[in-house]
Amino acid sequence: MVSFVGRQAELAALSLAVERASSGDGGSLTIIEGEAGIGKTRLCEEMELVARQVGARVVWSHCQEGTGQPAYWPWTQILRSLSGEDTDGQIMDRQQSAARIIAAHIPELADLADVVASPSAVEYEREQFQLRDSICTLVLAYAAEFPLLLIFDDIHWADSSSMATLNMLSERIRTNRVVAIGTARPPDPGSPTSVALTGLKRVQGSVWVPLAGLNEAQARELFESTSSRSGTTRGLVEAVRLSEGNPFFLTELAASWEQLDLDRSLTIPASAVDVVSSRLSAVPTDAINILHTAALLGREFDIPRLTAMFSSTENQAVADAIEIGLRRRIIEERDYSQGRYRFIHEITRQVLVRRGSTIDRAKLHAQIAEELEKFFGDRAIENASEIAFHWRESGAFGDAESRARWAVTAGTRALDAYAYNSAHEQFEYAMNTSRDLTDERLVAEAREGMGRSLAALERGGEAVEFLAAAFDYFRSSGETDRAIAIAQMFLSSPAGLAGMASLQEQALKIPHIDESAAALVKVPLARALAVVFDDYDRATEMLKEVIDLGRRTDNPSLEMYAAGHGTQMAGFQMRME
């Protein structure tokens, strides 16, 4: 591990927060912000040692850029680790309600409870809140048993749903034994990440810790403790100047100083790439090729997945590359039993990712996508985000149908998890690919997903066009159940209500439509008739039909659904008698 130099004041403040939480005086949230390589993760590693000394359990999560991580990925890692601490299963037994909700909507955590996902076409906001609330409830249940230090590394790459959940948790940990630390790079002003981080910083009791470069004395100390041999005075001065006190750049300069050309001018951040590239140039080509593939798999990778990318005759070459990577401090071991490794720094991974031409990378992404489909087998759909990412990065060198199909699959999984922004991105990509498709059903699936994601993002006016096209296809192709499910959607905006009314009228004319299914179409249609078209008489009649059906079939949820919409119609009082 790289020497820990400076940051003593920050370490002391964070240590006090962990000690307070462990003693029952309340938890807190801290955001550590700084540029790449400034030492955010290294500070958290020191905090892990402090936390363990006072009896706290430490759980890490790592967000990644350019790997296709699914929605709620940081929370998936947190909850997986915590479930391993629950050796007798008592905590999970007491929190079955929360576990079922989580398992139903986050496929990567489906083993938490024996359930099947069944997302509703309505009540998006309420169900999304329930999922986030369940995650917080389960985390706090563990905190009731032992103090927790949760580390969210690189949260600037987290999805918006994960950030919203962290915001919810931060409001609740002030009276619990939980300290949460998030590391982030400074975001672009006005970006969604900037807005999310600002929201976290404004939570009562949260702390923002900006990290700047080491001062000259600290930079010299780190360089000398890392360098393989004593540097010249010129070397020390030049290293401090080039790095501007950035610890990562300093350690890379110290490790590869002899390979650098001091006669040419290096600048930040180009110098970081130059320094890393200089170190990597000493690695044999075969090992670099394997580490390049590992870098495309993500900052964290495992041996089974990596070896799946190569023939069985190359297993020894993979093992040799891992050994070289460990010896040269390019990667580090995370879990030997699972064969899990991690690139020590994201900058190193990015330099490896960018190796070779754009065309060669695209072809390799296509190969990785194909191999991952085989590797995951029956679990491929559970890992749809990862597979979809590699198909997407393959561009024109990947099969268009595969690119679109996996984007639709990943988008559907994101919808199930109420990660609407992530879902919209996937379906938007699928729609952009649709002009190259001959499979009309796949295009209809993409349109339906696009419409559903837009509706969930409260863009009902835009959603109608996609939903109507999907409805027409499924109705005409004989998949009437799917067409009716689209017609049951409730779009709250006037434009959405008006646009859906036409296809809802058509859905009610589908031969042999089930009575209960028809009732779920009548409720949003009644809302449109009253609010948009001022036809209160017909709206009242429809809602009363649904309420009567609910009572007749002993279905109180159906009765409540209809009555709830009736009472929410502005200027409209539904007569229940």
Side-chain angles (χ1 to χ4, degrees):
M1 186 177 289
V2 176
S3 300
F4 186 72
V5 176
R7 318 301 190 204
Q8 297 305 321
E10 294 86 351
L11 181 62
L14 289 169
S15 300
L16 179 60
V18 170
E19 291 168 4
R20 285 174 55 84
S22 298
S23 62
D25 290 335
S28 60
L29 167 70
T30 298
I31 302 298
I32 303 173
E33 189 173 287
E35 66 182 22
I38 205 67
K40 305 182 293 296
T41 303
R42 185 68 185 86
L43 177 56
C44 289
E45 290 171 344
E46 286 297 307
M47 276 306 306
E48 178 174 7
L49 300 176
V50 172
R52 294 194 185 282
Q53 289 174 357
V54 297
R57 310 291 173 90
V58 182
V59 184
W60 284 77
S61 69
H62 302 278
C63 298
Q64 304 178 66
E65 180 186 35
T67 58
Q69 63 184 12
Y72 291 100
W73 180 238
W75 292 104
T76 298
Q77 296 170 75
I78 293 289
L79 293 178
R80 277 178 179 169
S81 296
L82 287 177
S83 65
E85 300 281 355
D86 186 18
T87 53
D88 56 8
Q90 291 188 12
I91 298 174
M92 195 63 68
D93 287 343
R94 294 194 298 269
Q95 300 295 330
Q96 274 299 296
S97 177
R100 287 193 184 98
I101 292 173
I102 295 168
H105 299 291
I106 302 179
E108 293 75 22
L109 293 173
D111 56 345
L112 289 183
D114 186 18
V115 295
V116 177
S118 56
S120 170
V122 295
E123 306 289 356
Y124 289 118
E125 187 174 344
R126 179 179 63 83
E127 293 189 2
Q128 189 178 56
F129 175 87
Q130 285 182 340
L131 174 57
R132 294 171 183 169
D133 176 66
S134 297
I135 292 173
C136 294
T137 297
L138 195 51
V139 169
L140 295 179
Y142 284 102
E145 300 296 321
F146 38 74
L148 287 176
L149 171 59
L150 307 180
I151 301 174
F152 298 85
D153 200 20
D154 291 331
I155 60 171
H156 51 278
W157 285 323
D159 60 284
S160 58
S161 297
S162 292
M163 295 287 275
T165 307
L166 180 56
N167 196 316
M168 179 182 286
L169 180 70
S170 65
E171 296 281 1
R172 302 181 184 182
I173 60 177
R174 294 196 299 273
T175 56
N176 289 276
R177 297 187 298 171
V178 182
V179 170
I181 300 177
T183 70
R185 296 182 189 177
D188 294 330
S191 67
T193 301
S194 177
V195 173
L197 286 175
T198 299
L200 290 173
K201 294 174 189 175
R202 288 177 177 171
V203 172
Q204 183 179 353
S206 67
V207 179
W208 175 52
V209 178
L211 289 188
L214 300 174
N215 61 38
E216 184 174 343
Q218 294 168 340
R220 286 172 176 268
E221 178 185 350
L222 180 59
F223 184 89
E224 291 178 331
S225 68
T226 307
S227 181
S228 58
R229 66 180 183 81
S230 299
T232 62
T233 300
R234 179 190 177 194
L236 281 169
V237 173
E238 190 70 358
V240 172
R241 182 189 71 80
L242 290 173
S243 68
E244 296 182 353
N246 184 297
F248 174 75
F249 298 159
L250 271 168
T251 55
E252 289 296 304
L253 284 164
S256 56
W257 193 249
E258 295 178 359
Q259 298 168 327
L260 292 175
D261 181 1
L262 293 181
D263 293 330
R264 60 191 176 93
S265 175
L266 299 179
T267 59
I268 301 291
S271 61
V273 176
D274 286 336
V275 170
V276 174
S277 298
S278 295
R279 277 225 298 148
L280 294 177
S281 65
V283 178
T285 302
D286 288 348
I288 281 291
N289 290 337
I290 292 169
L291 291 173
H292 170 55
T293 302
L296 292 176
L297 289 173
R299 186 168 179 186
E300 288 195 13
F301 62 94
D302 57 63
I303 295 301
R305 197 172 309 189
L306 180 60
T307 54
M309 304 301 122
F310 300 92
S311 66
S312 58
T313 60
E314 297 174 290
N315 285 352
Q316 186 58 50
V318 172
D320 293 342
I322 295 298
E323 180 61 34
I324 292 171
L326 290 169
R327 189 168 61 248
R328 293 182 178 272
R329 297 284 298 158
I330 297 169
I331 60 175
E332 61 185 353
E333 190 175 82
R334 300 295 289 179
D335 185 343
Y336 179 78
S337 64
Q338 300 294 321
R340 294 197 64 80
Y341 295 85
R342 180 174 183 260
F343 286 93
I344 289 178
H345 202 281
E346 178 65 13
I347 292 176
T348 304
R349 187 182 82 88
Q350 290 294 337
V351 171
L352 281 164
V353 164
R354 291 177 174 82
R355 182 177 179 272
S357 69
T358 302
I359 292 175
D360 287 340
R361 285 198 300 275
K363 290 179 178 178
L364 184 53
H365 275 294
Q367 177 188 337
I368 290 174
E370 291 177 343
E371 295 302 327
L372 285 177
E373 288 185 36
K374 300 174 188 175
F375 174 75
F376 288 123
D378 294 340
R379 298 182 298 111
I381 292 178
E382 297 174 20
N383 296 273
S385 294
E386 183 178 352
I387 297 173
F389 166 76
H390 290 290
W391 277 122
R392 184 170 183 166
E393 291 298 301
S394 70
F397 294 94
D399 175 64
E401 183 170 312
S402 294
R403 287 187 282 132
R405 186 170 300 284
W406 281 105
V408 168
T409 303
T412 302
R413 304 296 281 188
L415 276 181
D416 290 348
Y418 311 118
Y420 303 129
N421 286 305
S422 299
H424 179 258
E425 290 176 6
Q426 295 285 2
F427 289 121
E428 187 173 44
Y429 176 77
M431 288 304 305
N432 290 338
T433 309
S434 64
R435 61 179 176 271
D436 299 323
L437 302 178
T438 57
D439 186 340
E440 293 183 6
R441 190 179 189 281
L442 179 56
V443 175
E445 289 178 337
R447 285 172 173 160
E448 180 186 357
M450 187 70 164
R452 288 186 178 276
S453 63
L454 287 169
L457 292 169
E458 299 184 354
R459 295 163 60 182
E462 300 172 61
V464 170
E465 174 188 352
F466 296 100
L467 293 172
F471 173 85
D472 289 342
Y473 173 82
F474 291 121
R475 184 185 57 167
S476 61
S477 65
E479 295 184 61
T480 54
D481 286 348
R482 188 155 186 172
I484 291 168
I486 294 174
Q488 291 169 350
M489 291 184 63
F490 169 68
L491 277 58
S492 57
S493 68
L497 284 169
M500 291 292 287
S502 174
L503 65 90
Q504 286 160 351
E505 295 275 20
Q506 296 175 58
L508 292 175
K509 296 177 183 177
I510 291 176
H512 312 299
I513 183 172
D514 178 80
E515 192 175 27
S516 297
L520 292 176
V521 175
K522 289 179 180 179
V523 173
L525 176 56
R527 187 74 175 264
L529 291 171
V531 174
V532 180
F533 302 109
D534 294 327
D535 191 347
Y536 292 103
D537 290 339
R538 190 173 174 218
T540 300
E541 181 183 349
M542 273 192 181
L543 291 178
K544 291 181 72 174
E545 287 174 359
V546 175
I547 291 171
D548 289 343
L549 176 64
R551 291 171 177 171
R552 178 159 43 86
T553 58
D554 194 23
N555 188 345
S557 62
L558 188 60
E559 181 181 349
M560 291 174 61
Y561 181 41
H565 276 274
T567 57
Q568 291 175 34
M569 297 177 190
F572 175 58
Q573 295 297 322
M574 186 176 62
R575 295 183 296 277
M576 300 294 292
E577 64 277 359

